[in-house]
Amino acid sequence: MSCHEGRVAARAAVRRLLPRLLLGLPAVALLTLFFVLPYVEMVAMSFRAPAFGQPFGSGHTLMHYGRALGDPIYTGALLRSLLTGALITALCLVISFPLALHLSRLQGRWHVVFYACIVSPLLIGVLVRNFGWMVLVAVDGPFNRWLLAAGLIERPFRVLFTQGLVVMALVHVFTPFMVLPIATALRNVRPELRDASASLGAGGWETFRRVTLPLSFPGVQAGVTLVFVLSVAAYVTPALLGGQGIAYMPAVVVRELIGSFAWPFGAALAVIMAASTLAVVTVFTLATHRLAERTRG
Amino acid sequence: MTQIDVVGLTKRYGTTLALDGVSLQAREGELVSLLGPSGCGKTTTLRCMAGFMDPDAGDILVDGTSVTRLPPQKRNFGVVFQNYALFPHLSVFDNVAYGLAVRRLPKAEQRARVADALAMVRLQGLEDRLPRALSGGQQQRVALARALVIRPRLLLLDEPLANLDARLREEVRWLIRDVQQQSRITAFYVTHDQAEAMALSDRIAVMKAGRVAQFATPREIYQRPAEAYVARFTGDANIIPARPRDRTADGGFHVPFGGVMLPVPGVDGIRPGDPAMLMLRPEALSLIDPGAEGVIPALVLGTAFLGAALACEVSLADGTRLRLQASPHAPVQPGMTVGLRVDTAHAWLMPDVLS
């Protein structure tokens, strides 16, 4: 009797859970196929022995990690990528906050128009966008011609193939990833809280500092994480606008994998880059854990 | 502490007139309720008083000085919101201390005043909790403490009990009254619940479509409503069309009702022969033996046992239906013919709509 009941209950549980499992299946399959397996493969590759004339040899070794972490060329590129990523993230945050504040207070048609402006950098393909920058800042491009015509400079600026241009171009394209989560967080701040703050004697700035700004933090956290990860991993824009002079980590990885055909060493560099990025994000998340806990929805 | 005068407040949203010349006063230490259905302008009035909204016309005076042009942060009014509006990222202590921190008071004074305010609303030992870890009743106590700790000139409460369940509502209602009485703060209280307004208020402003229909004590509002709308909104009432025949010697009216002539008090402006409304609260009616002299015969249509009373619906010979409450022991059953006695002291004659 009880055995029978148990079986009935189990069958009911399966019937209840089955739809959920089925709904999750495509996502799990997709992630396994395109995220978990490639990473497993890459980590495995990073331990393989090198070989002449072919991508990798037989046997396993730790030498690639030793080489990557011992050579200032590689650690320098890694550090430069992480620091540039941090700079881009900081600039994005400063630029995005006022935009997000404005976007969060708009209603109806103006909200749509402003939203479209914010996401516009993402609507242009990566090559077109970067060639656009090249044309804009070339020695005889409109940027220099305007400055010359205005008498602000005597000789054309060399902007192309500088780190500054790379940072500017990446800030431009990653700004939507910062604005949208912050605007969403700001929209979730109930307007009565501003009324309550004012009734308790706080002026506009005081209310912003004590209420609006802290409560936007869930959006700031999401935006900072997204922009940092994207910046560190950016390949095309630094390659096109940064020239050959400065090496960022993704370019170094690609050079080893495709240029030198050294798959295990390239994989080791890629693993190091991914692990460093993850470490920075983890430290940031843990450091802001209390604030995030307090301010979540 | 403070005398408040609201004079001719007018507010237009597009083409609709949300407030149409609202005038109110509150004397020092008085609690005034704004009572009305949703959309009657009671919350708009409160928001104008708090400074969250600018009236198109009219003035708000505190002890004779206009505050209409002052932003909310300069008014020093405590506001309690319907959904508490506690700062979700701040602890109970920091929520209550908010107004003091903004005023840059010394930390020691902040601590002392927060402790006093929390003691006043009987909420201690939860200072470090976040609002989301509190029940609705506790959150509303924090909100009340936060509004009181700044020692406001005026306390504004916007349906503070609407989100609480029935049992808590009673408890917090008495707490609000106690605290307001203790601190002698002048207060305005918005509600759509007539029982709440009756229990709490020194005076009630019954609002109707952006205007004040009647502004008087709870007793007067209940027993001497200015028009049928007020009578309907302030509790159970039988409201029956009636035409007064003539005035009585003591200033009332002779009103024909159910075959007899009732001498009832009423609104002074009514002239004999005018169409008017006769209000009979359920407690103005009682059932007696149908054989007695001068009684109105009535047919019992239905009864409902309420415990402390027996609710009855009866109909008169002319088809008028009345609701009343009889003794729970009354031997009354549907289909019976009973005698109806009207306690004319508790009847009231008023115009349908105040012109």
Side-chain angles (χ1 to χ4, degrees), chain A residues 190 192-204 206-207 209-211 214-215 292-297, chain B residues 47 52 72-73 77 79 81 83 85-91 98-99 101-104 128 130 132 146-147 150:
Chain A
R190 300 206 322 260
E192 315 87 83
L193 296 184
R194 286 199 288 275
D195 287 344
S197 173
S199 76
L200 292 166
E206 196 94 5
T207 297
R209 187 172 73 81
R210 291 176 186 270
V211 178
L215 288 178
E293 261 308 287
R294 292 194 147 220
T295 53
R296 88 184 137 81
Chain B
R47 291 182 62 79
F52 303 149
Q73 63 266 29
F77 292 172
V79 184
F81 296 81
N83 52 19
L86 295 178
F87 305 118
H89 59 301
L90 298 180
S91 67
Y98 190 91
V102 165
R103 286 168 175 73
R104 309 256 187 279
D128 297 327
L130 287 182
R132 80 167 77 96
R146 182 179 69 174
I150 61 170

Side-chain angles (χ1 to χ4, degrees), chain A residues 65-98:
Chain A
Y65 285 96
R67 187 179 154 209
L69 295 173
D71 190 332
I73 288 188
Y74 302 117
T75 51
L78 177 65
L79 200 63
R80 183 179 301 119
S81 280
L82 293 176
L83 287 177
T84 310
L87 176 67
I88 290 166
T89 309
L91 290 175
C92 259
L93 184 57
V94 171
I95 291 171
S96 298
F97 209 96

Side-chain angles (χ1 to χ4, degrees), chain A residues 228-296:
Chain A
F228 181 74
V229 169
L230 290 170
S231 305
V232 174
Y235 170 67
V236 177
T237 298
L240 289 176
L241 301 181
Q244 300 301 309
I246 342 136
Y248 291 99
M249 199 61 175
V252 174
V253 173
V254 170
R255 198 171 62 210
E256 292 299 333
L257 286 174
I258 295 170
S260 313
F261 222 48
W263 287 10
F265 185 56
L269 288 175
V271 170
I272 287 170
M273 185 175 89
S276 319
T277 311
L278 186 67
V280 171
V281 170
T282 306
V283 167
F284 171 70
T285 307
L286 289 179
T288 56
H289 167 75
R290 262 177 62 85
L291 188 56
E293 261 308 287
R294 292 194 147 220
T295 53
R296 88 184 137 81

Side-chain angles (χ1 to χ4, degrees), chain A residues 84-258:
Chain A
T84 310
L87 176 67
I88 290 166
T89 309
L91 290 175
C92 259
L93 184 57
V94 171
I95 291 171
S96 298
F97 209 96
L99 295 175
L101 203 57
H102 189 61
L103 181 64
S104 71
R105 305 224 167 138
L106 288 175
Q107 294 292 340
R109 190 190 327 162
W110 285 113
H111 181 259
V112 176
V113 169
F114 197 68
Y115 187 95
C117 292
I118 292 291
V119 298
S120 64
L122 300 176
L123 302 178
I124 317 164
V126 59
L127 287 178
V128 174
R129 192 175 58 242
N130 284 315
F131 284 121
W133 278 108
M134 286 181 172
V135 170
L136 203 63
V137 301
V139 171
D140 57 349
F143 173 73
N144 274 313
R145 265 185 284 137
W146 290 333
L147 286 181
L148 283 170
L152 292 170
I153 52 172
E154 292 181 352
R155 261 175 306 165
F157 257 129
R158 199 185 72 96
V159 180
L160 196 56
F161 305 136
T162 61
Q163 289 201 65
L165 179 62
V166 173
V167 169
M168 189 153 68
L170 288 179
V171 166
H172 169 242
V173 68
F174 292 151
T175 292
F177 294 105
M178 191 68 91
V179 173
L180 298 184
I182 296 177
T184 304
L186 288 171
R187 253 177 200 262
N188 288 337
V189 177
R190 300 206 322 260
E192 315 87 83
L193 296 184
R194 286 199 288 275
D195 287 344
S197 173
S199 76
L200 292 166
W205 164 247
E206 196 94 5
T207 297
F208 177 76
R209 187 172 73 81
R210 291 176 186 270
V211 178
T212 312
L213 190 62
L215 288 178
S216 73
F217 187 72
V220 170
Q221 191 181 40
V224 162
T225 306
L226 273 173
V227 170
F228 181 74
V229 169
L230 290 170
S231 305
V232 174
Y235 170 67
V236 177
T237 298
L240 289 176
L241 301 181
Q244 300 301 309
I246 342 136
Y248 291 99
M249 199 61 175
V252 174
V253 173
V254 170
R255 198 171 62 210
E256 292 299 333
L257 286 174
I258 295 170

